[in-house]
Amino acid sequence: MKYSWNVACESMRLLPPAQGAYRVAMTDFSFAGYTIPKGWKTFWTVHSTNKNPKYFPDPEKFDPSRFEGNGPAPFIYVPFGGGPHMCPGKEYARLEILVFMHNLVTKFKLMKVIPNEKFIYTPSPVPVEGLHIRLLPHN
Ligand code: HEM
C-alpha cells in the first residue's frame, strides 16, 4: 500500500500529529549562531522542515508524490522523531492507519459536514467541531 502510505505521509507533513519533543544538551554546542550550554532543555519541532520550500517545493500543495522513490533526505521529514528516541510505535501506527484508510475508502464515500473546519492544537491538532462526516456506501 505504497500510495496510501504516501497519502498518509503527506497528510502528516501538512498537519503533524505530534509537534516535537524535548532533548537535554549533553555538551555545549552552537547552532545557527546561538550557543546552547550543556544541561539546557531544547525542543525540536516537526514544523521546522516540513513546510520549508527548500525541502518541499510549493509546501502548501497536497502532493503525495513527494514521498515516491527515496522520498525526503534523512531527518528532513520527522513526524515520528529521529535518533535513539524515535517513536517505537511507528510501524504499529502505520499498520493501523493503512487498515483504517483501506476500510474507509473501499467501503464508503465520505463528505465533510463542515467544509472549512478549523483545527486547534492541544498540542495535537484537533478539529474544533469534532470533524463530522456524512458516510455513504461505496457503489
Ligand atoms: C501517528 C501516530 C504517531 C505519531 C505521529 C507519533 C510521534 C511520536 C514522536 C514525534 C515521538 C518523539 C520521538 C523523539 O523524541 O525523537 C514519539 C515518541 C514515542 N511514541 Fe509515538 N507516535 C505515534 C504513535 C505511537 C504509538 C501507536 C505508540 C505505541 C503503541 C507510540 C509510542 C511512543 C513512545 C513510547 C514514545 C517515546 C519514545 C522514547 O522517548 O524513547 N507512538 N512518538
Side-chain angles (χ1 to χ4, degrees):
M1 297 177 71
K2 275 190 168 203
Y3 181 72
S4 302
W5 185 240
N6 289 351
V7 169
C9 287
E10 181 66 339
S11 307
M12 288 190 283
R13 182 184 70 80
L14 288 168
L15 213 63
Q19 309 311 308
Y22 293 98
R23 293 285 189 271
V24 175
M26 303 302 285
T27 56
D28 296 352
F29 71 96
S30 300
F31 180 75
Y34 294 92
T35 301
I36 313 293
K38 179 182 171 182
W40 272 33
K41 270 210 182 91
T42 61
F43 186 80
W44 64 264
T45 71
V46 179
H47 286 281
S48 317
T49 45
N50 61 358
K51 288 209 182 165
N52 186 332
K54 186 174 155 196
Y55 307 117
F56 298 103
D58 200 359
E60 295 299 332
K61 188 178 168 198
F62 184 82
D63 179 7
S65 73
R66 301 176 195 276
F67 293 90
E68 282 171 7
N70 290 335
F75 296 101
I76 296 298
Y77 173 72
V78 285
F80 294 96
H85 283 281
M86 185 179 176
C87 177
K90 181 187 172 191
E91 290 308 311
Y92 176 62
R94 170 146 75 164
L95 183 71
E96 267 203 63
I97 291 166
L98 290 176
V99 169
F100 174 76
M101 276 170 80
H102 172 79
N103 283 300
L104 191 69
V105 300
T106 56
K107 294 185 179 145
F108 302 101
K109 280 183 193 166
L110 62 154
M111 280 161 51
K112 284 170 78 177
V113 174
I114 306 164
N116 294 315
E117 187 174 349
K118 301 269 182 283
F119 280 78
I120 47 166
Y121 286 83
T122 67
S124 294
V126 176
V128 279
E129 303 294 340
L131 192 63
H132 296 258
I133 54 169
R134 188 160 288 128
L135 290 175
L136 305 167
H138 210 285
N139 296 328

PDB file of all heavy atoms in Angstrom, residues 5 12 16-23 44 46 78-90 92-94 96-97, ligand 1:
ATOM      1  N   TRP A   5       0.291   4.966   1.851  1.00  0.00           N
ATOM      2  CA  TRP A   5       1.225   5.473   2.866  1.00  0.00           C
ATOM      3  C   TRP A   5       1.768   6.842   2.458  1.00  0.00           C
ATOM      4  O   TRP A   5       1.973   7.726   3.291  1.00  0.00           O
ATOM      5  CB  TRP A   5       2.345   4.460   3.127  1.00  0.00           C
ATOM      6  CG  TRP A   5       3.247   4.916   4.250  1.00  0.00           C
ATOM      7  CD1 TRP A   5       4.575   5.166   4.176  1.00  0.00           C
ATOM      8  CD2 TRP A   5       2.860   5.206   5.611  1.00  0.00           C
ATOM      9  NE1 TRP A   5       5.056   5.587   5.404  1.00  0.00           N
ATOM     10  CE2 TRP A   5       4.015   5.618   6.297  1.00  0.00           C
ATOM     11  CE3 TRP A   5       1.647   5.150   6.297  1.00  0.00           C
ATOM     12  CZ2 TRP A   5       4.002   5.972   7.652  1.00  0.00           C
ATOM     13  CZ3 TRP A   5       1.636   5.512   7.648  1.00  0.00           C
ATOM     14  CH2 TRP A   5       2.797   5.916   8.309  1.00  0.00           C
ATOM     15  N   MET A  12       0.481  13.943   7.188  1.00  0.00           N
ATOM     16  CA  MET A  12       1.231  14.228   8.426  1.00  0.00           C
ATOM     17  C   MET A  12       2.262  15.337   8.218  1.00  0.00           C
ATOM     18  O   MET A  12       2.673  15.997   9.171  1.00  0.00           O
ATOM     19  CB  MET A  12       1.904  12.954   8.942  1.00  0.00           C
ATOM     20  CG  MET A  12       0.920  11.967   9.527  1.00  0.00           C
ATOM     21  SD  MET A  12       1.685  10.613  10.397  1.00  0.00           S
ATOM     22  CE  MET A  12       2.226   9.600   9.022  1.00  0.00           C
ATOM     23  N   PRO A  16       1.108  17.630  11.285  1.00  0.00           N
ATOM     24  CA  PRO A  16       1.744  16.563  12.077  1.00  0.00           C
ATOM     25  C   PRO A  16       0.990  16.283  13.379  1.00  0.00           C
ATOM     26  O   PRO A  16       0.634  17.230  14.086  1.00  0.00           O
ATOM     27  CB  PRO A  16       3.144  17.085  12.363  1.00  0.00           C
ATOM     28  CG  PRO A  16       3.230  18.444  11.802  1.00  0.00           C
ATOM     29  CD  PRO A  16       1.939  18.815  11.147  1.00  0.00           C
ATOM     30  N   PRO A  17       0.730  15.009  13.707  1.00  0.00           N
ATOM     31  CA  PRO A  17       0.035  14.675  14.954  1.00  0.00           C
ATOM     32  C   PRO A  17       0.823  15.085  16.195  1.00  0.00           C
ATOM     33  O   PRO A  17       0.253  15.493  17.186  1.00  0.00           O
ATOM     34  CB  PRO A  17      -0.119  13.154  14.895  1.00  0.00           C
ATOM     35  CG  PRO A  17       0.101  12.775  13.460  1.00  0.00           C
ATOM     36  CD  PRO A  17       0.999  13.820  12.878  1.00  0.00           C
ATOM     37  N   ALA A  18       2.156  14.945  16.162  1.00  0.00           N
ATOM     38  CA  ALA A  18       3.000  15.363  17.293  1.00  0.00           C
ATOM     39  C   ALA A  18       3.829  16.560  16.818  1.00  0.00           C
ATOM     40  O   ALA A  18       4.247  16.605  15.669  1.00  0.00           O
ATOM     41  CB  ALA A  18       3.907  14.224  17.730  1.00  0.00           C
ATOM     42  N   GLN A  19       4.049  17.522  17.731  1.00  0.00           N
ATOM     43  CA  GLN A  19       4.724  18.766  17.318  1.00  0.00           C
ATOM     44  C   GLN A  19       6.236  18.702  17.472  1.00  0.00           C
ATOM     45  O   GLN A  19       6.952  19.509  16.892  1.00  0.00           O
ATOM     46  CB  GLN A  19       4.184  19.942  18.133  1.00  0.00           C
ATOM     47  CG  GLN A  19       2.670  20.031  18.133  1.00  0.00           C
ATOM     48  CD  GLN A  19       2.093  19.926  16.738  1.00  0.00           C
ATOM     49  OE1 GLN A  19       2.518  20.659  15.852  1.00  0.00           O
ATOM     50  NE2 GLN A  19       1.162  19.028  16.527  1.00  0.00           N
ATOM     51  N   GLY A  20       6.739  17.738  18.277  1.00  0.00           N
ATOM     52  CA  GLY A  20       8.178  17.646  18.506  1.00  0.00           C
ATOM     53  C   GLY A  20       8.417  17.002  19.855  1.00  0.00           C
ATOM     54  O   GLY A  20       7.516  16.359  20.410  1.00  0.00           O
ATOM     55  N   ALA A  21       9.603  17.159  20.382  1.00  0.00           N
ATOM     56  CA  ALA A  21       9.903  16.559  21.693  1.00  0.00           C
ATOM     57  C   ALA A  21      11.105  17.276  22.308  1.00  0.00           C
ATOM     58  O   ALA A  21      11.801  18.034  21.626  1.00  0.00           O
ATOM     59  CB  ALA A  21      10.192  15.073  21.541  1.00  0.00           C
ATOM     60  N   TYR A  22      11.336  17.005  23.592  1.00  0.00           N
ATOM     61  CA  TYR A  22      12.438  17.647  24.322  1.00  0.00           C
ATOM     62  C   TYR A  22      13.714  16.820  24.234  1.00  0.00           C
ATOM     63  O   TYR A  22      13.678  15.599  24.124  1.00  0.00           O
ATOM     64  CB  TYR A  22      12.058  17.823  25.793  1.00  0.00           C
ATOM     65  CG  TYR A  22      10.943  18.813  25.992  1.00  0.00           C
ATOM     66  CD1 TYR A  22       9.632  18.373  26.146  1.00  0.00           C
ATOM     67  CD2 TYR A  22      11.213  20.180  26.017  1.00  0.00           C
ATOM     68  CE1 TYR A  22       8.601  19.308  26.313  1.00  0.00           C
ATOM     69  CE2 TYR A  22      10.195  21.107  26.187  1.00  0.00           C
ATOM     70  CZ  TYR A  22       8.903  20.665  26.338  1.00  0.00           C
ATOM     71  OH  TYR A  22       7.891  21.565  26.495  1.00  0.00           O
ATOM     72  N   ARG A  23      14.829  17.513  24.290  1.00  0.00           N
ATOM     73  CA  ARG A  23      16.140  16.884  24.413  1.00  0.00           C
ATOM     74  C   ARG A  23      16.950  17.706  25.410  1.00  0.00           C
ATOM     75  O   ARG A  23      16.756  18.921  25.491  1.00  0.00           O
ATOM     76  CB  ARG A  23      16.892  16.881  23.071  1.00  0.00           C
ATOM     77  CG  ARG A  23      16.286  16.007  21.987  1.00  0.00           C
ATOM     78  CD  ARG A  23      16.545  14.535  22.246  1.00  0.00           C
ATOM     79  NE  ARG A  23      16.162  13.717  21.113  1.00  0.00           N
ATOM     80  CZ  ARG A  23      14.956  13.198  20.912  1.00  0.00           C
ATOM     81  NH1 ARG A  23      13.991  13.431  21.776  1.00  0.00           N
ATOM     82  NH2 ARG A  23      14.709  12.469  19.855  1.00  0.00           N
ATOM     83  N   TRP A  44      12.857  20.190  19.827  1.00  0.00           N
ATOM     84  CA  TRP A  44      12.931  20.151  18.354  1.00  0.00           C
ATOM     85  C   TRP A  44      11.501  20.065  17.822  1.00  0.00           C
ATOM     86  O   TRP A  44      10.641  19.461  18.439  1.00  0.00           O
ATOM     87  CB  TRP A  44      13.792  18.976  17.857  1.00  0.00           C
ATOM     88  CG  TRP A  44      13.237  17.621  18.182  1.00  0.00           C
ATOM     89  CD1 TRP A  44      13.568  16.844  19.246  1.00  0.00           C
ATOM     90  CD2 TRP A  44      12.245  16.890  17.462  1.00  0.00           C
ATOM     91  NE1 TRP A  44      12.847  15.685  19.245  1.00  0.00           N
ATOM     92  CE2 TRP A  44      12.023  15.677  18.152  1.00  0.00           C
ATOM     93  CE3 TRP A  44      11.511  17.133  16.295  1.00  0.00           C
ATOM     94  CZ2 TRP A  44      11.113  14.714  17.725  1.00  0.00           C
ATOM     95  CZ3 TRP A  44      10.606  16.175  15.869  1.00  0.00           C
ATOM     96  CH2 TRP A  44      10.413  14.988  16.565  1.00  0.00           C
ATOM     97  N   VAL A  46       8.731  19.296  14.581  1.00  0.00           N
ATOM     98  CA  VAL A  46       8.464  18.674  13.281  1.00  0.00           C
ATOM     99  C   VAL A  46       8.281  19.776  12.233  1.00  0.00           C
ATOM    100  O   VAL A  46       8.622  19.615  11.064  1.00  0.00           O
ATOM    101  CB  VAL A  46       7.184  17.816  13.392  1.00  0.00           C
ATOM    102  CG1 VAL A  46       6.838  17.161  12.073  1.00  0.00           C
ATOM    103  CG2 VAL A  46       7.341  16.754  14.477  1.00  0.00           C
ATOM    104  N   VAL A  78      10.175  14.349   9.842  1.00  0.00           N
ATOM    105  CA  VAL A  78      10.332  13.626  11.105  1.00  0.00           C
ATOM    106  C   VAL A  78       9.048  13.602  11.969  1.00  0.00           C
ATOM    107  O   VAL A  78       9.098  13.934  13.156  1.00  0.00           O
ATOM    108  CB  VAL A  78      11.527  14.188  11.915  1.00  0.00           C
ATOM    109  CG1 VAL A  78      12.838  13.742  11.329  1.00  0.00           C
ATOM    110  CG2 VAL A  78      11.467  15.715  12.003  1.00  0.00           C
ATOM    111  N   PRO A  79       7.898  13.193  11.410  1.00  0.00           N
ATOM    112  CA  PRO A  79       6.686  13.178  12.246  1.00  0.00           C
ATOM    113  C   PRO A  79       6.789  12.177  13.390  1.00  0.00           C
ATOM    114  O   PRO A  79       6.088  12.306  14.392  1.00  0.00           O
ATOM    115  CB  PRO A  79       5.577  12.784  11.268  1.00  0.00           C
ATOM    116  CG  PRO A  79       6.272  12.059  10.175  1.00  0.00           C
ATOM    117  CD  PRO A  79       7.633  12.677  10.057  1.00  0.00           C
ATOM    118  N   PHE A  80       7.677  11.182  13.259  1.00  0.00           N
ATOM    119  CA  PHE A  80       7.870  10.190  14.320  1.00  0.00           C
ATOM    120  C   PHE A  80       9.187  10.414  15.065  1.00  0.00           C
ATOM    121  O   PHE A  80       9.649   9.533  15.796  1.00  0.00           O
ATOM    122  CB  PHE A  80       7.831   8.773  13.739  1.00  0.00           C
ATOM    123  CG  PHE A  80       6.474   8.386  13.190  1.00  0.00           C
ATOM    124  CD1 PHE A  80       6.179   8.521  11.842  1.00  0.00           C
ATOM    125  CD2 PHE A  80       5.481   7.886  14.029  1.00  0.00           C
ATOM    126  CE1 PHE A  80       4.931   8.176  11.339  1.00  0.00           C
ATOM    127  CE2 PHE A  80       4.231   7.537  13.546  1.00  0.00           C
ATOM    128  CZ  PHE A  80       3.952   7.681  12.193  1.00  0.00           C
ATOM    129  N   GLY A  81       9.793  11.583  14.870  1.00  0.00           N
ATOM    130  CA  GLY A  81      11.054  11.870  15.541  1.00  0.00           C
ATOM    131  C   GLY A  81      12.229  11.213  14.831  1.00  0.00           C
ATOM    132  O   GLY A  81      12.124  10.763  13.684  1.00  0.00           O
ATOM    133  N   GLY A  82      13.359  11.151  15.528  1.00  0.00           N
ATOM    134  CA  GLY A  82      14.556  10.579  14.932  1.00  0.00           C
ATOM    135  C   GLY A  82      15.571  10.248  15.995  1.00  0.00           C
ATOM    136  O   GLY A  82      15.463  10.732  17.125  1.00  0.00           O
ATOM    137  N   GLY A  83      16.519   9.400  15.657  1.00  0.00           N
ATOM    138  CA  GLY A  83      17.564   9.048  16.612  1.00  0.00           C
ATOM    139  C   GLY A  83      17.095   7.991  17.591  1.00  0.00           C
ATOM    140  O   GLY A  83      16.053   7.360  17.397  1.00  0.00           O
ATOM    141  N   PRO A  84      17.846   7.818  18.701  1.00  0.00           N
ATOM    142  CA  PRO A  84      17.575   6.711  19.627  1.00  0.00           C
ATOM    143  C   PRO A  84      16.181   6.754  20.256  1.00  0.00           C
ATOM    144  O   PRO A  84      15.654   5.730  20.651  1.00  0.00           O
ATOM    145  CB  PRO A  84      18.634   6.872  20.718  1.00  0.00           C
ATOM    146  CG  PRO A  84      19.649   7.803  20.185  1.00  0.00           C
ATOM    147  CD  PRO A  84      19.013   8.594  19.097  1.00  0.00           C
ATOM    148  N   HIS A  85      15.558   7.954  20.350  1.00  0.00           N
ATOM    149  CA  HIS A  85      14.229   8.047  20.969  1.00  0.00           C
ATOM    150  C   HIS A  85      13.105   8.146  19.950  1.00  0.00           C
ATOM    151  O   HIS A  85      11.976   8.504  20.293  1.00  0.00           O
ATOM    152  CB  HIS A  85      14.173   9.211  21.949  1.00  0.00           C
ATOM    153  CG  HIS A  85      14.855   8.876  23.237  1.00  0.00           C
ATOM    154  ND1 HIS A  85      14.269   8.111  24.212  1.00  0.00           N
ATOM    155  CD2 HIS A  85      16.108   9.166  23.652  1.00  0.00           C
ATOM    156  CE1 HIS A  85      15.126   7.959  25.203  1.00  0.00           C
ATOM    157  NE2 HIS A  85      16.253   8.583  24.884  1.00  0.00           N
ATOM    158  N   MET A  86      13.419   7.808  18.696  1.00  0.00           N
ATOM    159  CA  MET A  86      12.385   7.831  17.666  1.00  0.00           C
ATOM    160  C   MET A  86      11.190   6.980  18.111  1.00  0.00           C
ATOM    161  O   MET A  86      11.362   5.973  18.807  1.00  0.00           O
ATOM    162  CB  MET A  86      12.960   7.266  16.372  1.00  0.00           C
ATOM    163  CG  MET A  86      12.008   7.351  15.229  1.00  0.00           C
ATOM    164  SD  MET A  86      12.819   6.690  13.781  1.00  0.00           S
ATOM    165  CE  MET A  86      11.443   6.796  12.651  1.00  0.00           C
ATOM    166  N   CYS A  87       9.996   7.378  17.707  1.00  0.00           N
ATOM    167  CA  CYS A  87       8.770   6.705  18.143  1.00  0.00           C
ATOM    168  C   CYS A  87       8.821   5.184  17.919  1.00  0.00           C
ATOM    169  O   CYS A  87       8.902   4.726  16.790  1.00  0.00           O
ATOM    170  CB  CYS A  87       7.591   7.295  17.375  1.00  0.00           C
ATOM    171  SG  CYS A  87       6.035   6.488  17.763  1.00  0.00           S
ATOM    172  N   PRO A  88       8.748   4.391  18.972  1.00  0.00           N
ATOM    173  CA  PRO A  88       8.768   2.936  18.797  1.00  0.00           C
ATOM    174  C   PRO A  88       7.428   2.410  18.273  1.00  0.00           C
ATOM    175  O   PRO A  88       7.321   1.255  17.887  1.00  0.00           O
ATOM    176  CB  PRO A  88       9.030   2.418  20.222  1.00  0.00           C
ATOM    177  CG  PRO A  88       8.534   3.490  21.121  1.00  0.00           C
ATOM    178  CD  PRO A  88       8.678   4.784  20.393  1.00  0.00           C
ATOM    179  N   GLY A  89       6.395   3.288  18.262  1.00  0.00           N
ATOM    180  CA  GLY A  89       5.069   2.864  17.776  1.00  0.00           C
ATOM    181  C   GLY A  89       4.874   3.122  16.296  1.00  0.00           C
ATOM    182  O   GLY A  89       3.781   2.904  15.773  1.00  0.00           O
ATOM    183  N   LYS A  90       5.940   3.571  15.592  1.00  0.00           N
ATOM    184  CA  LYS A  90       5.776   3.983  14.196  1.00  0.00           C
ATOM    185  C   LYS A  90       5.169   2.873  13.324  1.00  0.00           C
ATOM    186  O   LYS A  90       4.209   3.103  12.596  1.00  0.00           O
ATOM    187  CB  LYS A  90       7.099   4.438  13.607  1.00  0.00           C
ATOM    188  CG  LYS A  90       6.938   4.885  12.167  1.00  0.00           C
ATOM    189  CD  LYS A  90       8.240   5.180  11.481  1.00  0.00           C
ATOM    190  CE  LYS A  90       7.947   5.419  10.002  1.00  0.00           C
ATOM    191  NZ  LYS A  90       9.145   5.463   9.192  1.00  0.00           N
ATOM    192  N   TYR A  92       3.528   0.219  14.159  1.00  0.00           N
ATOM    193  CA  TYR A  92       2.166  -0.120  14.590  1.00  0.00           C
ATOM    194  C   TYR A  92       1.186   0.952  14.105  1.00  0.00           C
ATOM    195  O   TYR A  92       0.102   0.643  13.593  1.00  0.00           O
ATOM    196  CB  TYR A  92       2.122  -0.251  16.113  1.00  0.00           C
ATOM    197  CG  TYR A  92       0.745  -0.513  16.648  1.00  0.00           C
ATOM    198  CD1 TYR A  92       0.057  -1.680  16.293  1.00  0.00           C
ATOM    199  CD2 TYR A  92       0.114   0.405  17.472  1.00  0.00           C
ATOM    200  CE1 TYR A  92      -1.229  -1.903  16.764  1.00  0.00           C
ATOM    201  CE2 TYR A  92      -1.155   0.172  17.938  1.00  0.00           C
ATOM    202  CZ  TYR A  92      -1.828  -0.972  17.590  1.00  0.00           C
ATOM    203  OH  TYR A  92      -3.106  -1.185  18.049  1.00  0.00           O
ATOM    204  N   ALA A  93       1.606   2.226  14.226  1.00  0.00           N
ATOM    205  CA  ALA A  93       0.761   3.331  13.758  1.00  0.00           C
ATOM    206  C   ALA A  93       0.543   3.204  12.252  1.00  0.00           C
ATOM    207  O   ALA A  93      -0.565   3.393  11.747  1.00  0.00           O
ATOM    208  CB  ALA A  93       1.424   4.671  14.095  1.00  0.00           C
ATOM    209  N   ARG A  94       1.615   2.834  11.516  1.00  0.00           N
ATOM    210  CA  ARG A  94       1.495   2.692  10.066  1.00  0.00           C
ATOM    211  C   ARG A  94       0.452   1.626   9.715  1.00  0.00           C
ATOM    212  O   ARG A  94      -0.408   1.823   8.859  1.00  0.00           O
ATOM    213  CB  ARG A  94       2.856   2.325   9.467  1.00  0.00           C
ATOM    214  CG  ARG A  94       2.734   1.926   8.003  1.00  0.00           C
ATOM    215  CD  ARG A  94       3.886   2.309   7.182  1.00  0.00           C
ATOM    216  NE  ARG A  94       5.052   1.502   7.369  1.00  0.00           N
ATOM    217  CZ  ARG A  94       6.050   1.509   6.505  1.00  0.00           C
ATOM    218  NH1 ARG A  94       5.998   2.273   5.434  1.00  0.00           N
ATOM    219  NH2 ARG A  94       7.095   0.765   6.721  1.00  0.00           N
ATOM    220  N   GLU A  96      -2.062   0.523  11.584  1.00  0.00           N
ATOM    221  CA  GLU A  96      -3.418   0.991  11.946  1.00  0.00           C
ATOM    222  C   GLU A  96      -3.945   2.001  10.945  1.00  0.00           C
ATOM    223  O   GLU A  96      -5.103   1.934  10.532  1.00  0.00           O
ATOM    224  CB  GLU A  96      -3.363   1.692  13.310  1.00  0.00           C
ATOM    225  CG  GLU A  96      -3.648   0.794  14.463  1.00  0.00           C
ATOM    226  CD  GLU A  96      -4.137   1.598  15.661  1.00  0.00           C
ATOM    227  OE1 GLU A  96      -5.201   2.237  15.569  1.00  0.00           O
ATOM    228  OE2 GLU A  96      -3.427   1.594  16.666  1.00  0.00           O
ATOM    229  N   ILE A  97      -3.085   2.944  10.554  1.00  0.00           N
ATOM    230  CA  ILE A  97      -3.509   3.989   9.605  1.00  0.00           C
ATOM    231  C   ILE A  97      -3.913   3.349   8.281  1.00  0.00           C
ATOM    232  O   ILE A  97      -4.953   3.664   7.700  1.00  0.00           O
ATOM    233  CB  ILE A  97      -2.377   5.029   9.392  1.00  0.00           C
ATOM    234  CG1 ILE A  97      -2.169   5.862  10.657  1.00  0.00           C
ATOM    235  CG2 ILE A  97      -2.669   5.931   8.214  1.00  0.00           C
ATOM    236  CD1 ILE A  97      -0.880   6.683  10.676  1.00  0.00           C
TER     237      ILE A  97
HETATM  238  C1  HEM B   1       0.592   8.725  14.010  1.00  0.00           C
HETATM  239  C2  HEM B   1       0.961   8.171  15.168  1.00  0.00           C
HETATM  240  C3  HEM B   1       2.165   8.589  15.972  1.00  0.00           C
HETATM  241  C4  HEM B   1       2.989   9.672  15.820  1.00  0.00           C
HETATM  242  C5  HEM B   1       2.943  10.787  14.768  1.00  0.00           C
HETATM  243  C6  HEM B   1       3.991   9.598  16.875  1.00  0.00           C
HETATM  244  C7  HEM B   1       5.002  10.529  17.062  1.00  0.00           C
HETATM  245  C8  HEM B   1       5.967  10.442  18.053  1.00  0.00           C
HETATM  246  C9  HEM B   1       7.053  11.396  18.239  1.00  0.00           C
HETATM  247  C10 HEM B   1       7.304  12.647  17.396  1.00  0.00           C
HETATM  248  C11 HEM B   1       7.788  10.983  19.283  1.00  0.00           C
HETATM  249  C12 HEM B   1       9.070  11.650  19.850  1.00  0.00           C
HETATM  250  C13 HEM B   1      10.260  10.989  19.174  1.00  0.00           C
HETATM  251  C14 HEM B   1      11.595  11.632  19.523  1.00  0.00           C
HETATM  252  O1  HEM B   1      11.744  12.188  20.613  1.00  0.00           O
HETATM  253  O2  HEM B   1      12.537  11.562  18.663  1.00  0.00           O
HETATM  254  C15 HEM B   1       7.189   9.759  19.788  1.00  0.00           C
HETATM  255  C16 HEM B   1       7.656   9.038  20.864  1.00  0.00           C
HETATM  256  C17 HEM B   1       7.044   7.911  21.369  1.00  0.00           C
HETATM  257  N1  HEM B   1       5.956   7.247  20.833  1.00  0.00           N
HETATM  258 FE1  HEM B   1       4.892   7.808  19.212  1.00  0.00          FE
HETATM  259  N2  HEM B   1       3.766   8.465  17.632  1.00  0.00           N
HETATM  260  C18 HEM B   1       2.669   7.819  17.117  1.00  0.00           C
HETATM  261  C19 HEM B   1       2.129   6.635  17.559  1.00  0.00           C
HETATM  262  C20 HEM B   1       2.596   5.886  18.608  1.00  0.00           C
HETATM  263  C21 HEM B   1       2.053   4.611  19.032  1.00  0.00           C
HETATM  264  C22 HEM B   1       0.892   3.889  18.322  1.00  0.00           C
HETATM  265  C23 HEM B   1       2.774   4.224  20.129  1.00  0.00           C
HETATM  266  C24 HEM B   1       2.655   2.991  20.966  1.00  0.00           C
HETATM  267  C25 HEM B   1       1.866   1.979  20.685  1.00  0.00           C
HETATM  268  C26 HEM B   1       3.766   5.253  20.392  1.00  0.00           C
HETATM  269  C27 HEM B   1       4.674   5.236  21.423  1.00  0.00           C
HETATM  270  C28 HEM B   1       5.676   6.167  21.622  1.00  0.00           C
HETATM  271  C29 HEM B   1       6.637   6.120  22.733  1.00  0.00           C
HETATM  272  C30 HEM B   1       6.683   5.082  23.868  1.00  0.00           C
HETATM  273  C31 HEM B   1       7.496   7.209  22.568  1.00  0.00           C
HETATM  274  C32 HEM B   1       8.694   7.633  23.464  1.00  0.00           C
HETATM  275  C33 HEM B   1       9.985   7.064  22.877  1.00  0.00           C
HETATM  276  C34 HEM B   1      11.215   7.470  23.673  1.00  0.00           C
HETATM  277  O3  HEM B   1      11.243   8.573  24.246  1.00  0.00           O
HETATM  278  O4  HEM B   1      12.199   6.701  23.673  1.00  0.00           O
HETATM  279  N3  HEM B   1       3.636   6.238  19.446  1.00  0.00           N
HETATM  280  N4  HEM B   1       6.080   9.458  19.012  1.00  0.00           N
END
